[in-house]
Amino acid sequence: MTDIRPFRIDISDADLAGLRDRLARTRWPVEVAGAGWERGVPLPYLKELTEYWRDGFDWRAAEAELNAHPQFVTTVDGQDLHFLHVRSANPDATPLLLVHGWPSSVVEFLDLIPLLTDEFHLVIPSLPGFGFSPLSGPGWGNLFRVAGAVAELMSRLGYERFAAQGGDLGAGVVGMLAMLHPGRVIGTHVNGPSPYPFGPPAELDGLSDAEKVRAERFNTFREDGIGYLALQATRPQTLAYGLADSPVELLAWIAEKFREWTDPAAELPEDAVGRDRLLTNVSLYWFTGTGATAAHVLYEGMQAYKQFMASAGEQEWSAEAPTPPPGAVAVFAADSSIRHLVDPMGTVVRWTEFDRGGHFAALEAPALLAADVKEFFATLR
């Protein structure tokens, strides 16, 4: 099945009414008096955000904004892949793949699209198990497999050579593409890579002041902020029941990350990305039921990574391995990227650090990210 079918988002009125009904009937937990964000999402904040989701948020407006961009679905290796394909008016524009992470979706790139289409043809897939790419079965947490499917998608669109950009899980896919198809990938650009979270703490000796701040942030994350990942990486099915059945649980699960991982200057998630953008992303997870399947994808990804690392010492690496394409890294204010840890071989040709923004750079600082992407790929033309 190599056909590419047009796609349009059309959530039913019944599904919208069902969401509002569930939100209205939320059974709220007891909160420890005086507790703040250190125990998770505070009850008063989540109640107010839930009320806005139920009575103030306009899904139809968000749906129309998404549908303003051409969308399609194709089937690769038995897996449906939904994607946006926004072509530039410039016929000689460079094809650019934009890959989202967790807990994100194609919504992440809405503000970036108009900043890039003067120079790029954009392909923005929903990764398997996310958004409108419902999970067809196990095995799609393996980023090698995902990268292969995405490369096939680019071939079907007629893009034999292309650039690639991503963050979080998307950065992993971009990295796998560079390994599997170095001759096809013009260059890679990733934002916010960090050391392996289950690995050792980052040593502070020999670091610059800016690197020490990021290292201390990473070490704090290892100690206090990794619970979500430990649960998704070990017991995704147990978590899935809450994410599939309770929109408030899904909202809390995602909103917490938008609070912890965005610009440190932002007190609340909507201070960094905007309340409607946040709820568009959460709504997409809710209507597609992919809060649960995304957890399974992360579980499989962590298992695959552990197996890869366990066997890495036994691999016989060829001295004639192809040269990887040029790579760039953008580091934003909330990131924990430390160059010698994420680029030990010194292969990154462009390393840029910004004093604002965070994990969701395309949402938080789209102008900064777009400019960095353009400047980097301009050097490769």
Side-chain angles (χ1 to χ4, degrees):
M1 296 178 65
T2 60
D3 62 311
I4 294 176
R5 292 100 63 189
F7 182 87
R8 184 175 178 82
I9 302 170
D10 186 17
I11 302 302
S12 71
D13 290 338
D15 283 343
L16 281 170
L19 170 60
R20 294 191 183 100
D21 178 63
R22 283 175 178 264
L23 293 173
R25 292 187 297 107
T26 299
R27 183 183 181 188
W28 296 103
V30 173
E31 183 179 56
V32 175
W37 284 91
E38 68 274 5
R39 296 193 183 214
V41 184
L43 182 60
Y45 172 76
L46 196 62
K47 278 187 172 182
E48 196 274 331
L49 187 57
T50 297
E51 181 179 346
Y52 179 78
W53 193 12
R54 185 185 71 229
D55 298 327
F57 174 66
D58 187 349
W59 166 256
R60 290 302 182 203
E63 186 179 70
E65 184 178 8
L66 284 161
N67 282 332
H69 302 293
Q71 298 173 69
F72 305 88
V73 173
T74 192
T75 305
V76 181
D77 192 14
Q79 169 67 49
D80 280 353
L81 279 181
H82 161 262
F83 62 98
L84 279 63
H85 186 198
V86 187
R87 291 185 60 85
S88 171
N90 176 8
D92 297 323
T94 300
L96 174 61
L97 179 70
L98 297 175
V99 193
H100 68 79
W102 181 91
S104 195
S105 65
V106 296
V107 172
E108 182 172 355
F109 299 110
L110 286 177
D111 295 324
L112 198 62
I113 290 173
L115 303 178
L116 293 177
T117 48
D118 56 336
E119 298 184 20
F120 299 97
H121 300 307
L122 302 179
V123 179
I124 310 173
S126 296
L127 294 177
F130 292 77
F132 295 101
S133 296
L135 202 61
S136 63
W140 286 104
N142 186 326
L143 296 189
F144 285 100
R145 187 182 185 190
V146 176
V150 171
E152 172 62 18
L153 167 62
M154 298 303 280
S155 293
R156 292 182 187 182
L157 295 173
Y159 299 138
E160 287 307 312
R161 292 268 291 163
F162 57 91
Q165 198 284 329
D168 189 75
L169 187 63
V173 174
V174 168
M176 295 301 104
L177 278 167
M179 292 176 62
L180 294 173
H181 304 281
R184 294 188 61 191
V185 179
I186 297 168
T188 62
H189 184 288
V190 299
N191 55 279
S194 64
Y196 181 54
F198 292 123
E203 296 289 342
L204 302 185
D205 292 343
L207 300 183
S208 67
D209 290 343
E211 287 175 329
K212 286 180 180 178
V213 170
R214 292 196 288 272
E216 289 169 348
R217 182 181 296 123
F218 171 74
N219 291 341
T220 299
F221 169 70
R222 283 184 67 262
E223 294 296 325
D224 301 328
I226 207 170
Y228 81 96
L229 183 57
L231 187 54
Q232 292 187 130
T234 58
R235 297 295 184 270
Q237 187 60 37
T238 302
L239 174 64
Y241 301 111
L243 297 179
D245 187 62
S246 170
V248 169
E249 170 61 19
L250 179 67
L251 176 61
W253 192 246
I254 293 177
E256 180 184 83
K257 300 308 145 198
F258 273 77
R259 198 263 181 175
E260 292 181 347
W261 298 348
T262 50
D263 192 320
E267 181 178 353
L268 297 173
E270 57 264 40
D271 296 334
V273 302
R275 179 170 285 195
D276 286 343
R277 274 286 185 264
L278 171 64
L279 290 174
T280 298
N281 184 61
V282 176
S283 297
L284 198 61
Y285 274 86
W286 174 256
F287 290 131
T288 59
T290 49
T293 56
H296 281 283
V297 168
L298 292 171
Y299 167 84
E300 292 180 356
M302 292 301 297
Q303 299 305 310
Y305 182 81
K306 290 177 183 178
Q307 293 173 7
F308 174 78
M309 293 303 293
S311 63
E314 304 171 3
Q315 298 289 335
E316 294 185 5
W317 302 102
S318 172
E320 300 179 356
T323 302
V329 170
V331 180
F332 292 84
D335 294 332
S336 56
S337 307
I338 304 163
R339 185 163 190 171
H340 78 275
L341 294 180
V342 301
D343 181 31
M345 303 302 292
T347 57
V348 171
V349 300
R350 178 184 173 93
W351 182 281
T352 313
E353 298 180 6
F354 298 100
D355 61 1
R356 59 187 178 91
H359 185 78
F360 307 96
L363 283 169
E364 299 179 66
L368 291 180
L369 180 60
D372 201 61
V373 167
K374 287 182 175 183
E375 289 174 13
F376 171 62
F377 286 114
T379 67
L380 306 182
R381 292 194 182 100

